[in-house]
Amino acid sequence: MRRLSDALLASLIPLLVLLHLSLAPYTKVEESFNIQATHDLLTYGLPMKNKGTTLRAQYDHLTFSGSVPRTFVGTLALAGASWPFAWLVEGVDKQILVRAVLGLFNAFCILSFRNGVAKVFGRNTANWYIILQASQFHVMYYASRILPNFLAFGLSTLALRNLLPISEVNSASHTSRQRCRQALTILTIIGIIFRSELAILLATHSLYLLFQRRLSLIQDIIPSGLLGLVIGLALTIPIDSYLWLRFPLWPELSGFIFNIMQGQSENWGTSPLHFYFTSALPRLLFNPLIYQLCIPFALFIQPLRKPALDILIPNLSFVAIYSLQPHKEWRFIIYIVPPLLATAATGASWIWTRRAKSLAYRLLSLALIASTLASFAASFGMLAVSRLNYPGAEALNRLHALADGSKGVVSVHLDTLTCMTGVTRFLQIPPQPEGGTQWIYDKTEDPDRLLNAGFWEGFDYALAERPEKVIGKWEILDTVDGFAGVGILRPGEERAEGAWTGRIWETVEMGMRRWVTRGWWVRARMEPRIRVMRKQVG
């Protein structure tokens, strides 16, 4: 019975990842390179003949190359893992498929980390880890998003599982040393390929293991790093040089030089030194009792203190050092969320297992339950809001419904906001057999061309944020709203029509307003974002 209950609880992770994916299936601009690259690799494969001509004609990355080249290693692996399912299941939504493959891989890695927590701290702590992780928004929402950080997240989680603290009796064993060496090798590989900031996480853990005398610098740390370096470079340089038509090419090194050495990342904004500790980490951990109660408890209780410090010191040292970089985003430190939640789970488990021993523990246990339920509610609320941030994808779907089959060839211009809020090659209708509508999609951004009246003569439709910038005689067929903030609905006040929130949210809203809140409700405010426009003839 215990195993069944543990398995049911653990199933929350993949189920919630898939739920977030199904309710928010679209992507945004920061995912653009990887989602387009995955599409091209899944659709066209690796070109073997006329490589340069084929890549320039069919692949997106040479047309929209971005500031620096990015690696194809993760997207190639993702496309390869998705291909059998795409081949077997005719008509499957391939964008959802590739995201589901990544999301389930990350879910598997989280569950593997959970098993590591169970071996080190016991079953109750492992179950609390699952509860805290499942009620946290960011990992569940982004686990299936094809960002470099989340291509690296699963492997970093496996590495950090191997670095969980073990008893002093076993810390010097051959198995322990081997697991630590494997962790350092994995961190090196994904740092070389995906995200260079992982070099800092690698360094803090290496120094901590060296300080504890769990590993030797000469016999363990340097060989592990060299092995990871060789494997990482052996993967990224051949693959990326081939697909970018540049040799030799190491994309993550190019990104490091551009963003860090040349300071170009600061163009995307800077944050104060304390940002990660005072803003990013509280948002990532989500439940305030995690850092106000559970982690302090783990540090206060004598049997928990040493393993808690063994987890916290190297991971928080990574955050402290990385805080020196002016440009900061929560995604850059996402890797340490599982170990921090594992630390919190030790404190939560200590409180929960003693709830019958005193009134204080009973009250703290009730507080944990209440805060966890509130976190789940807040997480679903954030999901409801986040899914409204993709009006571009919704607009393209509506255009397809309106115009597909209306004529032999349909040409449409997609403006910048449309492309930034959900449009991908997966959503575009591919070339059809003879007799079907052939769709032509244009993503021109050149302001001079957009000001040329002749440019617009070549289009039947346009998806545009600002219709006044579309030159000529056009009619607006539809308007897609996007998220514009949060408002309060009072008793008797009806919700605004036109929001594509879906029936599930409308049902929840109606039930809660009727039976719980007596008519009050927090409602997403929507405003017109994308216009579906058709050129008038004559």
Side-chain angles (χ1 to χ4, degrees):
M1 193 65 184
R2 273 186 161 189
R3 288 186 177 181
L4 178 60
S5 63
D6 291 352
L8 290 174
L9 187 62
S11 69
L12 276 176
I13 299 298
L15 290 176
L16 284 172
V17 168
L18 293 178
L19 176 66
H20 283 72
L21 166 59
S22 65
L23 294 178
Y26 304 126
T27 63
K28 294 192 76 173
V29 63
E30 58 265 26
E31 303 164 67
S32 178
F33 169 79
N34 286 300
I35 195 72
Q36 308 288 41
T38 306
H39 168 275
D40 294 342
L41 289 166
L42 187 60
T43 303
Y44 306 117
L46 286 172
M48 298 301 174
K49 297 180 180 179
N50 302 318
K51 179 180 67 172
T53 302
T54 302
L55 286 171
R56 291 187 178 92
Q58 296 182 334
Y59 281 64
D60 183 80
H61 67 285
L62 294 178
T63 303
F64 301 96
S65 57
S67 302
V68 292
R70 299 183 185 181
T71 184
F72 276 88
V73 173
T75 54
L76 180 60
L78 185 57
S82 305
W83 179 83
F85 301 99
W87 181 72
L88 287 171
V89 184
E90 186 177 356
V92 66
D93 187 319
K94 293 180 181 178
Q95 177 162 303
I96 290 181
L97 170 64
V98 298
R99 286 190 53 194
V101 169
L102 177 61
L104 290 175
F105 172 73
N106 282 330
F108 165 80
C109 295
I110 290 171
L111 294 181
S112 177
F113 187 87
R114 178 259 175 215
N115 292 338
V117 172
K119 287 184 178 180
V120 175
F121 297 109
R123 169 180 171 268
N124 287 329
T125 299
N127 287 339
W128 269 106
Y129 165 72
I130 288 293
I131 292 169
L132 297 178
Q133 185 72 81
S135 63
Q136 188 265 353
F137 170 74
H138 291 83
V139 170
M140 296 297 101
Y141 184 76
Y142 281 88
S144 66
R145 298 192 169 271
I146 311 176
L147 291 159
N149 313 82
F150 284 89
L151 289 169
F153 176 80
L155 293 173
S156 71
T157 302
L158 292 179
L160 293 173
R161 171 199 162 143
N162 282 0
L163 295 173
L164 287 171
I166 57 178
S167 65
E168 294 184 7
V169 175
N170 296 322
S171 64
S173 69
H174 173 74
T175 301
S176 171
R177 292 168 68 93
Q178 187 177 34
R179 291 174 67 84
C180 290
R181 289 197 298 265
Q182 289 173 353
L184 300 185
T185 299
I186 292 171
L187 289 176
T188 304
I189 293 171
I190 58 179
I192 291 291
I193 296 174
F194 296 115
R195 294 297 306 182
S196 58
E197 70 261 14
L198 285 163
I200 303 174
L201 187 62
L202 171 68
T204 57
H205 276 281
S206 297
L207 289 172
Y208 194 72
L209 292 169
L210 187 63
F211 174 76
Q212 288 188 313
R213 298 183 179 180
R214 288 176 61 186
L215 292 184
S216 162
L217 177 64
I218 303 299
Q219 296 179 350
D220 300 309
I221 294 175
I222 292 178
S224 299
L226 288 176
L227 178 61
L229 177 67
V230 170
I231 294 174
L233 292 179
L235 288 171
T236 189
I237 290 179
I239 292 172
D240 293 312
S241 297
Y242 186 88
L243 287 165
W244 282 100
L245 304 177
R246 293 163 54 184
F247 184 85
L249 177 64
W250 177 4
E252 196 54 28
L253 177 61
S254 300
F256 177 81
I257 293 172
F258 180 82
N259 290 312
I260 307 301
M261 303 300 291
Q262 297 177 3
Q264 296 297 321
S265 64
E266 296 181 28
N267 295 332
W268 298 97
T270 61
S271 300
L273 196 65
H274 56 77
F275 170 80
Y276 284 135
F277 289 100
T278 59
S279 179
L281 278 177
R283 283 187 289 130
L284 286 175
L285 299 178
F286 210 61
N287 184 338
L289 289 191
I290 288 175
Y291 52 89
Q292 294 176 359
L293 175 66
C294 296
I295 292 179
F297 227 89
L299 293 172
F300 177 76
I301 301 298
Q302 182 63 37
L304 305 180
R305 183 178 304 158
K306 187 180 186 306
L309 289 173
D310 287 344
I311 294 175
L312 294 176
I313 289 175
N315 288 296
L316 293 182
S317 296
F318 157 69
V319 178
I321 294 170
Y322 201 38
S323 295
L324 299 175
Q325 170 64 15
H327 177 62
K328 300 177 178 66
E329 295 185 34
W330 64 263
R331 291 184 286 117
F332 298 164
I333 60 169
I334 191 67
Y335 324 103
I336 70 165
V337 168
L340 293 189
L341 291 181
T343 307
T346 64
S349 177
W350 183 276
I351 293 169
W352 181 252
T353 55
R354 287 159 178 77
R355 63 189 183 280
K357 292 185 176 181
S358 71
L359 177 61
Y361 278 121
R362 194 173 301 120
L363 292 174
L364 290 175
S365 296
L366 290 173
L368 279 176
I369 294 172
S371 66
T372 302
L373 291 175
S375 294
F376 272 111
S379 180
F380 283 117
M382 290 182 68
L383 172 59
V385 168
S386 297
R387 70 189 303 269
L388 304 177
N389 283 318
Y390 306 94
E394 179 68 15
L396 185 59
N397 287 340
R398 293 189 191 182
L399 175 61
H400 287 156
L402 286 168
D404 194 35
S406 62
K407 55 189 298 190
V409 178
V410 175
S411 58
V412 55
H413 171 74
L414 311 173
D415 78 347
T416 300
L417 182 63
T418 301
C419 294
M420 291 176 64
T421 56
V423 169
T424 71
R425 286 190 159 197
F426 280 113
L427 269 61
Q428 297 175 190
I429 297 177
Q432 300 296 299
E434 187 175 350
T437 299
Q438 305 300 321
W439 283 80
I440 300 173
Y441 302 90
D442 174 78
K443 302 176 183 178
T444 299
E445 298 176 309
D446 183 357
D448 293 331
R449 292 190 66 192
L450 294 176
L451 290 173
N452 184 348
F455 168 79
W456 296 97
E457 293 297 320
F459 302 110
D460 303 299
Y461 296 89
L463 302 183
E465 177 187 15
R466 299 178 62 182
E468 68 273 14
K469 290 192 171 185
V470 180
I471 300 173
K473 294 182 178 180
W474 296 75
E475 61 176 323
I476 297 176
L477 301 179
D478 201 353
T479 299
V480 179
D481 294 339
F483 180 67
V486 175
I488 302 296
L489 288 181
R490 301 174 182 275
E493 186 178 357
E494 297 297 324
R495 61 182 178 85
E497 296 294 333
W500 42 283
T501 52
R503 292 182 179 178
I504 185 172
W505 303 117
E506 294 173 7
T507 303
V508 170
E509 176 185 330
M510 291 172 60
M512 292 293 289
R513 293 187 73 183
R514 181 177 181 182
W515 301 108
V516 180
T517 66
R518 298 184 178 182
W520 293 88
W521 192 248
V522 178
R523 182 68 178 172
R525 289 190 296 104
M526 308 293 286
E527 66 180 16
R529 299 301 302 275
I530 306 293
R531 279 77 176 179
V532 180
M533 305 175 67
R534 179 172 62 193
K535 187 168 62 178
Q536 295 180 341
V537 179

